[in-house]
Each structure stands twice: as structure tokens, then as C-alpha cells.
């Protein structure tokens, strides 16, 4: 124990479970693992690491452990999994969560009150890691990126101090946290806005993957006239025959269109008519409470071994759909679990006043390829296929990366405009001049400011 924080060392019985990441393909071998239960314990762990010459990698469950690339002996892994507290103030539409809260901890409280945060595809993902990286979810066309709905954060910085960062206090730190990731300290609590969502008309249509080309072309045409109330993603899916997967899709190869509509069942059904006219084999659309959005995409609930990569596309002409079909559709030889396309646009395109470091995603589409890496032998083949998809879509690639969909060590300057990256480096130099914190996507200290 370390001032109340659990400290797990090599050789202890809990060592393997303590160091494990949600992405089972990543083998993390840190010097020690600390599991604090509150902000004071976090501060004690940070001071302990510094005094012992260790860096600190903060992790909730480790959904982004691939980008962290296996922490080693110079690093203390600070796991926030004990800090899952969540509360909401329904009247003022605010949520306050601890460092280790998952989206399901928020939706369990907010959904019965007709409220929703700006969560993504999975109820299991950590609220803090997701939000610090930007946070693109179902409601982004209507309400923007999750990072720009943050109103304040409690942060333990490299000197072991607990600070409040919001518009009035530590405004540069507050700006940097909203899209600049976990580079500046340990966020021990995050406060953010909720939105009125009494119900959402959501679900998916699925067709056998032999129809990939006509369905994706039809989806591409369909999205051009949609209101911002409609969020929609399409994907080519090769579902493994695993027990946690719902029966109708288990072990199938499919082309799928998913959507979430902030409006009535009647108008949502009308908007979806062009897709329904393509006679899907499966359809699950229904008016559901907002908590159901964490399950529409059928993400796994338990840890899995995977690799993934994404691109931000400036446009999606018919030739891009043809390239996707060739790279990941029938006859491609693809082993990817999923290759998805998310329509961007709407509120996330424009920087809100006083936005954070990730002010907007102003490209037209976001892609995400995912492959299951069932053993180390599979990694080269899956990575080669992810690379092949990226090359196939290169003509429409914006050259900008979206942090949350990058899961390998990458040059983080490709995530931001150059003036934003410069300012992030300055904030890093001010709050963490010795580069104590090892984030999944590192921002180096600016030499000018340091
Ligand atoms: C199944 C799945 C579905 C996903 N769906 C979406 C989606 O729809 N939209 C989207 O935008 N992204 C999505 N992602 C990506 C996800 O948002 C990123 O992987 C994100 O980093 C996960 O955060 P985490 O805390 O769960 O992961 P972790 O790996 O635990 O943390 C990721 C990083 O966040 C930082 N961090 C975490 N907690 C703290 C803290 N308390 N203080 C400071 N820094 C911290 C650290 O730098 C850490 O390396 C998905 C990922 C998976 C695996």
C-alpha cells in the first residue's frame, strides 16, 4: 500500500491481472502497478513515482494500450479502475465522474432521466480517456465532440498538486486537456454537459456481404441529404463465432448500416426508407432509451486482442466505395473483423466558442478498420491488411489523424494544426516539464517554453 493506494509489484499473485490491458494483444511490463482510490492517493502515487525515477502511464482499462505500446521498466502504471464514481445533476444537465468511470456508469444514471452524454460506440470505454482524445459518438452531428462538452476537470499535475481546470482556473490546461490527451496530469474527476434525449430511434440493418457494393454505394448517396439529428455508420463485418456475440450475426459475413436518430420513430422510419427498400435480412430499429446507444454497434464487453487504424477522409466519391469493397469486401481475402465508415458533418465541423485543443473534425468521413489478433503470429497479417485499407483510401485521406482511432505509436503532430500542436507543447512544458506522464499519444515539451 502507498498512502492508501494499492501497489502491486512483480512476483505478487495479482501481478498479471494488475498489469493486463483491455487490449489483450498488448503485453505491459511496467516497473509497478498502482491502483489509487481517490485524488489524494493519486497525488501520493505521482510523488512516489517521481521520487523513484519512474514515469507514470495512466490507464482506465487499457482500450488504447496499443498506442501506449507496452509500458516497460521505467514506468509505473497508474490504473484508475477503482475510481468509478459517477453522479449527475439532472436539473442542470451535468455529470461528474471519477477517473475510472466507463460510459455505462454515466448512462445508467442519465438515461432514466432522459439525458445522454456524448458517448461513442461502446458502453465499456472509459469516459476520461475517450473524452481527452476528442470523443466522436452517435450524437456528434447534433452536439459535437465530447471534449467540447467538458466544463471542468480535477487534475493531479507532475508536482503532485491537485488543480481545478476550467474556463476561469488554469485556462491553458483546460484547453489542452480537451483533445490533447493524458499528457498533462492525472484527471481525477471530469465534469461535462448532458443533453436531453428522452428517446432515440436507433438500430441496424444487415445484408449478406455479397451485397457490400450496392449497400455501401446506396448508403453513400443516402447520407448526403441527412439532417444533423441522424448519426450513421456503415461497415463490412466478419463476425467471429464467439459466444458474447448476438445469435443473428454470430459467425456471419455482413454489410451493415447503423444509425441513431434524435426524433420520432415515424420520421426516423421515413428517413430510413431508402435503406429499408434494399430489403435487409436483419433490422433492429426501435425507439430506445439513450443507454441503448452503447450496444447498437455490438462492441465486445470483455477484453479482446485487437489491432485497429482509422483515417479522416475529405470526401467519399463512388471510387472510394469501390476501393473499400476491393480491400475489405467479398473476394478481398480480408481477415478484418470490421471496416467501418462514419459520416461526420454537423456540429462537430465547426469549432464552438472557447473550444479545446481538438476544436472540430471538419473532414467528411471517419474510417476505422479493426482486426482480431488471436495470437502474436496473426499480428503481421492483420497489420498488413489495415495498411492495405489505408493505402486504398489514400487518394481521399485528409492527412490528419483522429487520436482515438490511432492505436499504434504515431507522430502526434499529425493530429493537430501546427499552431495547436505548438501550444500543446508549451502547455506540456509548463505543467510537465520533465515529461513524467507517458500518454498513449505523447506531446513532447516545447523546447522554447521549457
Ligand atoms: C471497443 C472500442 C470502441 C471505441 N469506440 C470509440 C468511439 O466510438 N469513438 C471514439 O472517439 N473513440 C472510440 N474508441 C477509442 C477510445 O476512445 C480510445 O481508445 C480511448 O483512449 C479509450 O480511453 P480508455 O480510458 O478507455 O482507455 P485507456 O487505454 O485506459 O486510456 C487511454 C489513454 O487516455 C489517457 N487517460 C486515461 N485516463 C486518464 C486519466 N484519468 N487522466 C489522464 N489521462 C488519462 C492516457 O493517456 C491513456 O493512455 C473505442 C475503442 C475501443 C477499444
Amino acid at each position: 500500500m502507498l498512502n492508501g493506494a494499492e501497489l502491486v509489484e512483480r512476483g505478487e499473485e495479482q501481478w498479471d491481472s494488475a498489469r493486463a490491458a483491455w487490449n489483450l494483444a498488448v503485453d505491459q511490463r511496467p516497473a509497478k502497478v498502482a491502483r489509487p482510490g481517490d485524488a489524494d492517493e493519486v497525488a501520493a502515487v505521482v510523488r512516489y513515482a517521481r521520487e523513484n525515477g519512474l514515469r507514470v502511464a495512466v490507464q482506465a482499462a487499457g482500450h488504447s494500450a496499443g498506442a501506449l505500446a507496452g509500458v516497460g521498466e521505467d514506468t509505473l502504471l497508474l490504473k484508475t479502475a477503482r475510481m468509478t464514481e459517477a453522479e449527475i445533476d439532472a436539473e442542470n444537465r451535468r455529470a461528474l465522474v471519477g477517473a475510472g468511470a466507463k460510459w455505462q456508469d454515466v448512462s445508467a444514471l442519465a438515461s432514466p432521466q432522459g439525458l445522454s452524454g456524448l458517448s461513442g460506440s461502446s458502453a465499456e470505454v472509459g469516459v476520461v480517456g475517450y473524452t481527452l482524445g476528442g470523443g466522436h459518438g452517435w450524437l456528434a452531428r447534433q452536439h459535437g465532440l465530447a471534449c467540447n462538452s467538458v466544463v471542468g476537470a480535477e487534475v493531479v499535475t507532475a508536482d503532485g498538486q491537485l488543480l481545478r481546470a476550467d474556463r476561469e482556473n488554469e485556462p491553458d490546461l483546460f484547453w489542452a486537456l480537451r483533445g490533447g490527451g493524458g499528457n498533462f496530469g492525472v484527471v481525477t474527476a471530469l465534469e461535462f454537459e448532458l443533453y436531453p434525449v428522452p428517446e432515440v430511434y436507433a438500430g441496424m440493418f444487415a445484408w449478406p456481404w455479397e451485397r457490400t457494393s450496392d449497400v455501401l454505394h446506396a448508403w453513400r448517396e443516402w447520407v448526403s441529404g441527412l439532417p444533423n439529428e441522424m448519426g450513421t455508420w456503415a461497415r463490412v463485418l466478419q463476425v467471429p463465432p464467439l459466444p458474447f456475440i448476438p445469435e443473428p450475426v454470430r459467425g456471419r459475413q455482413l454489410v451493415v448500416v447503423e444509425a441513431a436518430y434524435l426524433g420520432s420513430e415515424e420520421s426516423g422510419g421515413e428517413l430510413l426508407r431508402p435503406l429499408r427498400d434494399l430489403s435487409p435480412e436483419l433490422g433492429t430499429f426501435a425507439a430506445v432509451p439513450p443507454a441503448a446507444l452503447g450496444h447498437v454497434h455490438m462492441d465486445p464487453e470483455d477484453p479482446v486482442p485487437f489491432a485497429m487504424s482509422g483515417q479522416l477522409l475529405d470526401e467519399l466519391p463512388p471510387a472510394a466505395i469501390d476501393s473499400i469493397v476491393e480491400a475489405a469486401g467479398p473476394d478481398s481475402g480480408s481477415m478484418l473483423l470490421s471496416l467501418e465508415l462514419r459520416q461526420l458533418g454537423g456540429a462537430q465541423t465547426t469549432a464552438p466558442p472557447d473550444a479545446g485543443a481538438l476544436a472540430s473534425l471538419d473532414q467528411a468521413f471517419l474510417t476505422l478498420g479493426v482486426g482480431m489478433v488471436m495470437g502474436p503470429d496473426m499480428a503481421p497479417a492483420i497489420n498488413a491488411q489495415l495498411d492495405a485499407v489505408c493505402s486504398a483510401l489514400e487518394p481521399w485521406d485528409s492527412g490528419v489523424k483522429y487520436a482515438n482511432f490511432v492505436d499504434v505509436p504515431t507522430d502526434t503532430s499529425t493530429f493537430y494544426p501546427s499552431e495547436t500542436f505548438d501550444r500543446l507543447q508549451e502547455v506540456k512544458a509548463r505543467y510537465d516539464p520533465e515529461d513524467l506522464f507517458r500518454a498513449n499519444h505523447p506531446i513532447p515539451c516545447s523546447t522554447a517554453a521549457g
Side-chain angles (χ1 to χ4, degrees), residues 338-375:
S338 166
L339 177 60
E340 77 188 63
L341 284 162
R342 297 186 178 191
Q343 186 193 19
L344 300 179
Q348 69 206 304
T349 316
T350 318
D354 196 21
L358 189 67
S360 61
L361 287 180
D362 48 18
Q363 296 76 15
F365 290 87
L366 180 58
T367 71
L368 180 64
V370 180
M372 299 285 269
V373 183
M374 299 313 290

mmCIF file of all heavy atoms in Angstrom, residues 338-375:
data_model
loop_
_atom_site.group_PDB
_atom_site.id
_atom_site.type_symbol
_atom_site.label_atom_id
_atom_site.label_comp_id
_atom_site.label_asym_id
_atom_site.label_seq_id
_atom_site.Cartn_x
_atom_site.Cartn_y
_atom_site.Cartn_z
ATOM 1 N N SER A 338 -13.873 -5.824 -38.944
ATOM 2 C CA SER A 338 -14.788 -4.748 -39.317
ATOM 3 C C SER A 338 -14.019 -3.637 -40.025
ATOM 4 O O SER A 338 -12.902 -3.309 -39.648
ATOM 5 C CB SER A 338 -15.434 -4.188 -38.040
ATOM 6 O OG SER A 338 -16.072 -2.965 -38.280
ATOM 7 N N LEU A 339 -14.639 -3.124 -41.064
ATOM 8 C CA LEU A 339 -14.142 -1.871 -41.652
ATOM 9 C C LEU A 339 -15.332 -0.939 -41.724
ATOM 10 O O LEU A 339 -16.303 -1.213 -42.436
ATOM 11 C CB LEU A 339 -13.554 -2.097 -43.045
ATOM 12 C CG LEU A 339 -13.099 -0.803 -43.730
ATOM 13 C CD1 LEU A 339 -12.033 -0.080 -42.929
ATOM 14 C CD2 LEU A 339 -12.589 -1.075 -45.134
ATOM 15 N N GLU A 340 -15.270 0.138 -40.927
ATOM 16 C CA GLU A 340 -16.452 0.990 -40.848
ATOM 17 C C GLU A 340 -16.190 2.386 -41.365
ATOM 18 O O GLU A 340 -15.051 2.875 -41.387
ATOM 19 C CB GLU A 340 -16.993 1.034 -39.421
ATOM 20 C CG GLU A 340 -16.222 1.921 -38.467
ATOM 21 C CD GLU A 340 -16.705 1.771 -37.033
ATOM 22 O OE1 GLU A 340 -16.570 0.654 -36.483
ATOM 23 O OE2 GLU A 340 -17.182 2.751 -36.447
ATOM 24 N N LEU A 341 -17.296 3.000 -41.775
ATOM 25 C CA LEU A 341 -17.294 4.380 -42.253
ATOM 26 C C LEU A 341 -18.263 5.145 -41.372
ATOM 27 O O LEU A 341 -19.400 4.695 -41.180
ATOM 28 C CB LEU A 341 -17.862 4.427 -43.671
ATOM 29 C CG LEU A 341 -16.975 3.950 -44.794
ATOM 30 C CD1 LEU A 341 -17.833 3.659 -46.020
ATOM 31 C CD2 LEU A 341 -15.962 5.046 -45.124
ATOM 32 N N ARG A 342 -17.846 6.284 -40.836
ATOM 33 C CA ARG A 342 -18.764 7.112 -40.046
ATOM 34 C C ARG A 342 -18.948 8.441 -40.761
ATOM 35 O O ARG A 342 -17.938 9.101 -41.088
ATOM 36 C CB ARG A 342 -18.203 7.377 -38.643
ATOM 37 C CG ARG A 342 -18.029 6.131 -37.822
ATOM 38 C CD ARG A 342 -17.611 6.482 -36.397
ATOM 39 N NE ARG A 342 -17.486 5.285 -35.587
ATOM 40 C CZ ARG A 342 -17.349 5.283 -34.262
ATOM 41 N NH1 ARG A 342 -17.328 6.439 -33.607
ATOM 42 N NH2 ARG A 342 -17.239 4.159 -33.585
ATOM 43 N N GLN A 343 -20.182 8.827 -40.983
ATOM 44 C CA GLN A 343 -20.402 10.147 -41.566
ATOM 45 C C GLN A 343 -20.118 11.213 -40.504
ATOM 46 O O GLN A 343 -20.611 11.119 -39.378
ATOM 47 C CB GLN A 343 -21.845 10.310 -42.057
ATOM 48 C CG GLN A 343 -22.026 11.616 -42.797
ATOM 49 C CD GLN A 343 -23.476 11.997 -43.056
ATOM 50 O OE1 GLN A 343 -24.385 11.492 -42.402
ATOM 51 N NE2 GLN A 343 -23.703 12.890 -43.994
ATOM 52 N N LEU A 344 -19.316 12.205 -40.838
ATOM 53 C CA LEU A 344 -19.070 13.328 -39.916
ATOM 54 C C LEU A 344 -20.056 14.450 -40.256
ATOM 55 O O LEU A 344 -21.181 14.204 -40.596
ATOM 56 C CB LEU A 344 -17.606 13.762 -39.996
ATOM 57 C CG LEU A 344 -16.595 12.662 -39.630
ATOM 58 C CD1 LEU A 344 -15.165 13.165 -39.766
ATOM 59 C CD2 LEU A 344 -16.817 12.161 -38.213
ATOM 60 N N GLY A 345 -19.626 15.682 -40.200
ATOM 61 C CA GLY A 345 -20.508 16.798 -40.533
ATOM 62 C C GLY A 345 -21.305 17.288 -39.338
ATOM 63 O O GLY A 345 -21.192 16.768 -38.223
ATOM 64 N N GLY A 346 -22.094 18.324 -39.557
ATOM 65 C CA GLY A 346 -22.934 18.880 -38.495
ATOM 66 C C GLY A 346 -22.109 19.640 -37.469
ATOM 67 O O GLY A 346 -21.104 20.282 -37.781
ATOM 68 N N ALA A 347 -22.531 19.538 -36.212
ATOM 69 C CA ALA A 347 -21.957 20.371 -35.144
ATOM 70 C C ALA A 347 -20.459 20.152 -34.934
ATOM 71 O O ALA A 347 -19.747 21.074 -34.532
ATOM 72 C CB ALA A 347 -22.696 20.090 -33.839
ATOM 73 N N GLN A 348 -19.970 18.949 -35.205
ATOM 74 C CA GLN A 348 -18.544 18.684 -34.950
ATOM 75 C C GLN A 348 -17.623 19.363 -35.967
ATOM 76 O O GLN A 348 -16.407 19.386 -35.808
ATOM 77 C CB GLN A 348 -18.284 17.191 -34.941
ATOM 78 C CG GLN A 348 -18.429 16.533 -36.299
ATOM 79 C CD GLN A 348 -18.789 15.076 -36.202
ATOM 80 O OE1 GLN A 348 -18.087 14.322 -35.565
ATOM 81 N NE2 GLN A 348 -19.893 14.684 -36.829
ATOM 82 N N THR A 349 -18.216 19.894 -37.052
ATOM 83 C CA THR A 349 -17.425 20.502 -38.123
ATOM 84 C C THR A 349 -16.932 21.896 -37.748
ATOM 85 O O THR A 349 -15.930 22.366 -38.276
ATOM 86 C CB THR A 349 -18.308 20.634 -39.387
ATOM 87 O OG1 THR A 349 -19.013 19.433 -39.542
ATOM 88 C CG2 THR A 349 -17.513 20.927 -40.611
ATOM 89 N N THR A 350 -17.679 22.564 -36.872
ATOM 90 C CA THR A 350 -17.367 23.954 -36.545
ATOM 91 C C THR A 350 -16.879 24.038 -35.107
ATOM 92 O O THR A 350 -17.508 23.461 -34.212
ATOM 93 C CB THR A 350 -18.652 24.815 -36.647
ATOM 94 O OG1 THR A 350 -19.351 24.404 -37.814
ATOM 95 C CG2 THR A 350 -18.340 26.282 -36.695
ATOM 96 N N ALA A 351 -15.789 24.747 -34.904
ATOM 97 C CA ALA A 351 -15.283 24.919 -33.532
ATOM 98 C C ALA A 351 -16.282 25.726 -32.722
ATOM 99 O O ALA A 351 -16.665 26.819 -33.135
ATOM 100 C CB ALA A 351 -13.950 25.646 -33.572
ATOM 101 N N PRO A 352 -16.741 25.208 -31.570
ATOM 102 C CA PRO A 352 -17.595 26.027 -30.717
ATOM 103 C C PRO A 352 -16.770 27.148 -30.079
ATOM 104 O O PRO A 352 -15.546 27.043 -30.018
ATOM 105 C CB PRO A 352 -18.104 25.046 -29.665
ATOM 106 C CG PRO A 352 -17.138 23.925 -29.663
ATOM 107 C CD PRO A 352 -16.475 23.887 -31.011
ATOM 108 N N PRO A 353 -17.434 28.226 -29.617
ATOM 109 C CA PRO A 353 -16.665 29.277 -28.956
ATOM 110 C C PRO A 353 -15.901 28.676 -27.772
ATOM 111 O O PRO A 353 -16.426 27.811 -27.097
ATOM 112 C CB PRO A 353 -17.746 30.258 -28.443
ATOM 113 C CG PRO A 353 -19.033 29.820 -29.047
ATOM 114 C CD PRO A 353 -18.873 28.430 -29.585
ATOM 115 N N ASP A 354 -14.663 29.088 -27.591
ATOM 116 C CA ASP A 354 -13.870 28.610 -26.470
ATOM 117 C C ASP A 354 -13.648 27.094 -26.501
ATOM 118 O O ASP A 354 -13.682 26.407 -25.477
ATOM 119 C CB ASP A 354 -14.542 29.033 -25.147
ATOM 120 C CG ASP A 354 -13.578 28.907 -23.982
ATOM 121 O OD1 ASP A 354 -12.357 28.901 -24.229
ATOM 122 O OD2 ASP A 354 -14.044 28.787 -22.833
ATOM 123 N N ALA A 355 -13.441 26.555 -27.722
ATOM 124 C CA ALA A 355 -13.220 25.108 -27.875
ATOM 125 C C ALA A 355 -11.887 24.702 -27.273
ATOM 126 O O ALA A 355 -11.000 25.534 -27.051
ATOM 127 C CB ALA A 355 -13.230 24.754 -29.354
ATOM 128 N N GLY A 356 -11.731 23.402 -27.055
ATOM 129 C CA GLY A 356 -10.462 22.855 -26.588
ATOM 130 C C GLY A 356 -9.509 22.608 -27.751
ATOM 131 O O GLY A 356 -9.752 23.024 -28.892
ATOM 132 N N ALA A 357 -8.427 21.865 -27.454
ATOM 133 C CA ALA A 357 -7.374 21.655 -28.454
ATOM 134 C C ALA A 357 -7.891 20.920 -29.686
ATOM 135 O O ALA A 357 -7.434 21.178 -30.796
ATOM 136 C CB ALA A 357 -6.229 20.866 -27.812
ATOM 137 N N LEU A 358 -8.819 19.984 -29.505
ATOM 138 C CA LEU A 358 -9.464 19.398 -30.695
ATOM 139 C C LEU A 358 -10.769 20.162 -30.888
ATOM 140 O O LEU A 358 -11.809 19.821 -30.327
ATOM 141 C CB LEU A 358 -9.724 17.899 -30.543
ATOM 142 C CG LEU A 358 -10.198 17.253 -31.851
ATOM 143 C CD1 LEU A 358 -9.089 17.269 -32.912
ATOM 144 C CD2 LEU A 358 -10.680 15.827 -31.647
ATOM 145 N N ALA A 359 -10.681 21.215 -31.689
ATOM 146 C CA ALA A 359 -11.816 22.131 -31.811
ATOM 147 C C ALA A 359 -12.925 21.539 -32.665
ATOM 148 O O ALA A 359 -14.106 21.773 -32.417
ATOM 149 C CB ALA A 359 -11.330 23.446 -32.413
ATOM 150 N N SER A 360 -12.556 20.768 -33.675
ATOM 151 C CA SER A 360 -13.565 20.226 -34.595
ATOM 152 C C SER A 360 -12.957 19.065 -35.376
ATOM 153 O O SER A 360 -11.737 18.884 -35.397
ATOM 154 C CB SER A 360 -14.016 21.317 -35.577
ATOM 155 O OG SER A 360 -12.905 21.767 -36.334
ATOM 156 N N LEU A 361 -13.827 18.302 -36.007
ATOM 157 C CA LEU A 361 -13.397 17.345 -37.041
ATOM 158 C C LEU A 361 -14.092 17.837 -38.308
ATOM 159 O O LEU A 361 -15.299 17.633 -38.464
ATOM 160 C CB LEU A 361 -13.858 15.920 -36.712
ATOM 161 C CG LEU A 361 -13.151 15.156 -35.588
ATOM 162 C CD1 LEU A 361 -13.744 13.766 -35.421
ATOM 163 C CD2 LEU A 361 -11.651 15.050 -35.827
ATOM 164 N N ASP A 362 -13.350 18.535 -39.161
ATOM 165 C CA ASP A 362 -14.050 19.154 -40.294
ATOM 166 C C ASP A 362 -13.936 18.349 -41.585
ATOM 167 O O ASP A 362 -14.276 18.836 -42.659
ATOM 168 C CB ASP A 362 -13.625 20.616 -40.484
ATOM 169 C CG ASP A 362 -12.130 20.772 -40.472
ATOM 170 O OD1 ASP A 362 -11.451 19.755 -40.659
ATOM 171 O OD2 ASP A 362 -11.653 21.904 -40.268
ATOM 172 N N GLN A 363 -13.491 17.091 -41.467
ATOM 173 C CA GLN A 363 -13.483 16.221 -42.643
ATOM 174 C C GLN A 363 -14.892 15.629 -42.834
ATOM 175 O O GLN A 363 -15.770 15.823 -42.000
ATOM 176 C CB GLN A 363 -12.455 15.094 -42.463
ATOM 177 C CG GLN A 363 -11.013 15.575 -42.371
ATOM 178 C CD GLN A 363 -10.649 16.189 -41.027
ATOM 179 O OE1 GLN A 363 -11.369 16.018 -40.047
ATOM 180 N NE2 GLN A 363 -9.543 16.897 -40.965
ATOM 181 N N ALA A 364 -15.068 14.891 -43.934
ATOM 182 C CA ALA A 364 -16.418 14.409 -44.259
ATOM 183 C C ALA A 364 -16.731 13.032 -43.665
ATOM 184 O O ALA A 364 -17.864 12.752 -43.274
ATOM 185 C CB ALA A 364 -16.586 14.369 -45.778
ATOM 186 N N PHE A 365 -15.712 12.156 -43.575
ATOM 187 C CA PHE A 365 -15.942 10.791 -43.088
ATOM 188 C C PHE A 365 -14.756 10.334 -42.254
ATOM 189 O O PHE A 365 -13.628 10.776 -42.459
ATOM 190 C CB PHE A 365 -16.124 9.798 -44.262
ATOM 191 C CG PHE A 365 -17.423 9.997 -44.996
ATOM 192 C CD1 PHE A 365 -17.506 10.916 -46.039
ATOM 193 C CD2 PHE A 365 -18.572 9.302 -44.627
ATOM 194 C CE1 PHE A 365 -18.705 11.136 -46.698
ATOM 195 C CE2 PHE A 365 -19.774 9.511 -45.288
ATOM 196 C CZ PHE A 365 -19.836 10.427 -46.331
ATOM 197 N N LEU A 366 -15.065 9.430 -41.339
ATOM 198 C CA LEU A 366 -14.055 8.806 -40.482
ATOM 199 C C LEU A 366 -14.119 7.310 -40.760
ATOM 200 O O LEU A 366 -15.212 6.756 -40.869
ATOM 201 C CB LEU A 366 -14.434 9.101 -39.030
ATOM 202 C CG LEU A 366 -13.603 8.600 -37.869
ATOM 203 C CD1 LEU A 366 -12.174 9.097 -37.957
ATOM 204 C CD2 LEU A 366 -14.218 9.079 -36.545
ATOM 205 N N THR A 367 -12.958 6.671 -40.914
ATOM 206 C CA THR A 367 -12.971 5.215 -41.110
ATOM 207 C C THR A 367 -12.315 4.545 -39.911
ATOM 208 O O THR A 367 -11.499 5.154 -39.212
ATOM 209 C CB THR A 367 -12.168 4.787 -42.363
ATOM 210 O OG1 THR A 367 -10.772 4.986 -42.091
ATOM 211 C CG2 THR A 367 -12.578 5.581 -43.588
ATOM 212 N N LEU A 368 -12.674 3.303 -39.704
ATOM 213 C CA LEU A 368 -12.000 2.518 -38.673
ATOM 214 C C LEU A 368 -11.944 1.055 -39.109
ATOM 215 O O LEU A 368 -12.985 0.442 -39.356
ATOM 216 C CB LEU A 368 -12.743 2.623 -37.333
ATOM 217 C CG LEU A 368 -12.097 1.836 -36.184
ATOM 218 C CD1 LEU A 368 -10.723 2.387 -35.845
ATOM 219 C CD2 LEU A 368 -12.969 1.857 -34.943
ATOM 220 N N GLY A 369 -10.737 0.531 -39.229
ATOM 221 C CA GLY A 369 -10.545 -0.894 -39.503
ATOM 222 C C GLY A 369 -10.107 -1.583 -38.224
ATOM 223 O O GLY A 369 -9.285 -1.047 -37.479
ATOM 224 N N VAL A 370 -10.670 -2.753 -37.947
ATOM 225 C CA VAL A 370 -10.314 -3.500 -36.739
ATOM 226 C C VAL A 370 -10.090 -4.965 -37.106
ATOM 227 O O VAL A 370 -10.892 -5.557 -37.842
ATOM 228 C CB VAL A 370 -11.452 -3.431 -35.682
ATOM 229 C CG1 VAL A 370 -11.063 -4.226 -34.427
ATOM 230 C CG2 VAL A 370 -11.782 -2.003 -35.309
ATOM 231 N N GLY A 371 -9.011 -5.537 -36.591
ATOM 232 C CA GLY A 371 -8.764 -6.968 -36.775
ATOM 233 C C GLY A 371 -8.514 -7.624 -35.433
ATOM 234 O O GLY A 371 -7.905 -7.033 -34.547
ATOM 235 N N MET A 372 -9.011 -8.834 -35.269
ATOM 236 C CA MET A 372 -8.737 -9.588 -34.040
ATOM 237 C C MET A 372 -7.360 -10.240 -34.186
ATOM 238 O O MET A 372 -7.087 -10.876 -35.208
ATOM 239 C CB MET A 372 -9.776 -10.697 -33.843
ATOM 240 C CG MET A 372 -11.195 -10.186 -33.714
ATOM 241 S SD MET A 372 -11.496 -9.443 -32.126
ATOM 242 C CE MET A 372 -12.072 -10.853 -31.231
ATOM 243 N N VAL A 373 -6.533 -10.075 -33.147
ATOM 244 C CA VAL A 373 -5.178 -10.640 -33.188
ATOM 245 C C VAL A 373 -5.155 -11.802 -32.190
ATOM 246 O O VAL A 373 -4.802 -11.630 -31.024
ATOM 247 C CB VAL A 373 -4.131 -9.559 -32.834
ATOM 248 C CG1 VAL A 373 -2.717 -10.125 -32.937
ATOM 249 C CG2 VAL A 373 -4.281 -8.351 -33.744
ATOM 250 N N MET A 374 -5.546 -12.989 -32.668
ATOM 251 C CA MET A 374 -5.769 -14.099 -31.746
ATOM 252 C C MET A 374 -4.458 -14.700 -31.220
ATOM 253 O O MET A 374 -4.477 -15.486 -30.291
ATOM 254 C CB MET A 374 -6.638 -15.184 -32.395
ATOM 255 C CG MET A 374 -8.035 -14.683 -32.794
ATOM 256 S SD MET A 374 -8.909 -13.723 -31.535
ATOM 257 C CE MET A 374 -9.278 -14.977 -30.329
ATOM 258 N N GLY A 375 -3.335 -14.327 -31.817
ATOM 259 C CA GLY A 375 -2.021 -14.758 -31.325
ATOM 260 C C GLY A 375 -0.995 -13.874 -31.990
ATOM 261 O O GLY A 375 -1.293 -13.259 -33.024
#
